[in-house]
Amino acid sequence: MALVPLRPGRAAGRLLPLFCGGTRSKGASLSPGVPGRLGQRRYKKDVLPSPEAPAPSVSITEIRQYLRAHDIPFHDGYSCLHTPSLFTANHADQPSQAAASAPYTLFIDKTTGSFLCTATLAEGTWQDFQANVELWHRGIPPATSEEMEEDMRQASEDARCIWDRALPLWELLDEEETNKTKAMFGISLVSNATLKRFGVRYLRTAKSLVFPWFSPRNATLKGLKLVRVEKKGNTVAYLEETLPRIDSYHNLFGLPLIGCRDTELVLTGWELDALALHQAAGVASLALPRGTTCLPPALLPYLEQFKRITLWLGEDLRSWEAAKLFARKLSLKRCSLVRPGNLQPRPLEALNQGLNFTKILRAALPASHKSIISFRQLREEVFGELANTEQVAGIKWMRFPELNKLLKGHRRGELTVFTGPTGSGKTTFISEYALDLCMQGVCTLWGSFEINNVRLAKIMLTQFAGRRLEDQLELYDEWADRFEDLPLYFMTFHGQQNIKTVIDTMQHAVYMYDITHVIIDNLQFMMGQDHLSVDRLIAQDYIVGAFRKFATDNNCHITLVIHPRKEDDEKELQTASIFGSAKASQEADNVLILQERKLTTGPGKRFLQVSKNRFDGDVGIFPLEFSKASLTFSSSKSKSRLKKVKEEKELLAKKALEGGIGASKKP
């Protein structure tokens, strides 16, 4: 029986009218971004840095120097600095005095400088922390947590409305209904005691399991995740709904059960896996709120107490890649990874198969390794690639099946160079190409230096909706809400930019949002004022090398748009037509060319050519059809059209050859 990956959805708009009688609690709002929905105290709106408004960079050295200068004690953690919390100390004391008596409950992220106090849930940027230290020097205390209690209560009322209507599984009408429900979710072997310990309930009207999010501060209900099952033939899909919305849902499921003396943890990508681990192995286990999609930095302080973390995220190659990415955030030296395989499936499946959990956990591989390794250490990974060829090939495009036949899929850590004639629709095509992957959960960062983000977002929204929204504005909010849930981010750069600034922004986005696909449109805008004194070809080689290194070091796919050389419009572009030296095509894993040429009969003047494919060597072309209404390209499935394209290519080549021969015969 096949399993479809979890697909997050928007719970609030659909569930509340159904379960709360069509009304909402007074003062609460379900609109995205409304204050009070996060259940955490912030000192500034949108304090966490983002690609749209990156915070001033700060180094770990600068953070340490500042803390020492203000006599604030600290010690190094794995991903954070631990300091006493000023928000729990006596307001009459100076910072150094307050720090001496306060618990070490404030965590400062070593990479971004953002802080979180786990005792009061106060959080903010490094600049916010400095401002509060200055307030202490002036004898002005920070705002007390009680000032936000009312907003937090209103934010949790919506979740409470659903929670109160959900029942424990063992309190359903009869044992038969309980067993049937458990079987539907594949948890027949999960005991009622385990479900009770984790507080799992069942919402009969929605046929969904309900997983609570309790505040680590006072155990109040902050939100919910609902999981339901959809069956299509032999395929079982688990669909998720969260309250609040998914980007504000920061629940480490199982956190209230973690003791202060626990030093070892198993991190999973699914709540049902955490249940299975706890029951079968008796180990401390937590489930990430967004599975293998993202590990939000805001959760890192809660993982600082663990000296050893084992990541057992799933049973496919995508889970393995995510585990390696998350281990970098958590500190490689304390992380071990359970490699997916037939004898090491995801924890829930391992429980159902009666496998030995202790044996699997002991076989976990250390995340860190020496610079030189032997085949013995690579042996299992090589076998994994041979045994999982489809997963190794990467994520398939839904809109471009012919592209799957050539490239086989979209893989992390690769560099794709994309080119095409001016005005041929390079940006329009590459936006749909990236949108297709983003809709499948690929966290995407767009760097559009040629057109502004508003216009780009308009193009992508039109492609997402598949219609002209200008003529149906009443549908805008519906499609915009769905589009907003995509893991899609934009850089705010426009025009010429310094390559170092762009790379720093990409590095920030990878850390904050676990970006795995970056689109740069286009390379020529990196070659601005900073390279006037340098040969343009040398400058371009340096920039291409920087992107190649970034893709490899961060296991992130980069799609780089490069304009072609100025050539005869009658000639088709080749790999050698890419502007600059040969380094771009040499460094690239894939080279895609959007060819534009009017056919002698019928429509279809554009086709996509794969001229380099390092993964397995397959190259070729296929026609594209452009829909002006939806701004989409769809690959034609007609073999006759593909044959016609090839015949016309051969005809043009023959004419060019005859022209060359004729020219050589002239006296």
Side-chain angles (χ1 to χ4, degrees), residues 171-295:
E171 292 184 6
L172 297 181
L173 292 177
D174 51 46
E175 186 176 352
E176 181 181 353
E177 184 182 3
T178 299
N179 294 336
K180 184 177 179 181
T181 302
K182 281 187 173 184
M184 179 171 62
F185 288 93
I187 56 173
S188 298
L189 297 181
V190 177
S191 68
N192 289 338
T194 300
L195 295 171
K196 185 175 182 180
R197 181 171 175 78
F198 282 83
V200 181
R201 294 188 179 185
Y202 179 68
L203 193 61
R204 184 185 286 120
T205 50
K207 296 183 179 180
S208 301
L209 290 179
V210 182
F211 300 95
W213 176 17
F214 292 113
S215 168
R217 180 188 174 200
N218 52 20
T220 57
L221 185 69
K222 295 182 63 177
L224 299 171
K225 175 182 283 190
L226 293 91
V227 176
R228 70 180 189 274
V229 174
E230 283 190 3
K231 292 186 178 180
K232 295 180 179 179
N234 293 328
T235 302
V236 177
Y238 291 88
L239 304 182
E240 293 182 352
E241 310 279 354
T242 63
L243 185 67
R245 52 180 293 122
I246 191 65
D247 56 355
S248 302
Y249 184 78
H250 291 163
N251 177 27
L252 279 171
F253 180 71
L255 186 61
L257 302 180
I258 300 296
C260 60
R261 296 184 179 180
D262 288 329
T263 59
E264 296 190 1
L265 172 73
V266 181
L267 206 55
T268 73
W270 196 23
E271 287 77 6
L272 295 181
D273 286 337
L275 299 178
L277 266 165
H278 177 81
Q279 177 174 309
V283 297
S285 58
L286 296 176
L288 295 173
R290 299 177 65 179
T292 59
T293 302
C294 179
L295 171 57

Side-chain angles (χ1 to χ4, degrees), residues 7-11 13-14 30 32 228 241 245-247 290 399 435 438-441 457 460-467 469 472 474-490:
R7 296 293 302 274
R10 180 184 296 271
R14 291 192 289 268
L30 298 179
R228 70 180 189 274
E241 310 279 354
R245 52 180 293 122
I246 191 65
D247 56 355
R290 299 177 65 179
R399 301 184 179 209
L435 177 64
C438 189
M439 291 172 64
Q440 299 181 66
M460 297 186 75
L461 180 60
T462 301
Q463 293 171 336
F464 182 69
R467 65 188 72 193
L469 293 176
Q472 305 176 56
E474 68 278 3
L475 299 178
Y476 175 79
D477 285 334
E478 176 186 348
W479 284 106
D481 283 346
R482 298 183 187 179
F483 189 73
E484 193 174 324
D485 283 336
L486 296 178
L488 176 65
Y489 304 88
F490 301 88

Side-chain angles (χ1 to χ4, degrees), residues 445-449 453 489-491 493 518-522:
L445 176 67
W446 249 100
S448 176
F449 304 91
N453 287 333
Y489 304 88
F490 301 88
M491 288 189 258
F493 303 131
V518 180
I519 302 96
I520 300 295
D521 184 14
N522 58 60

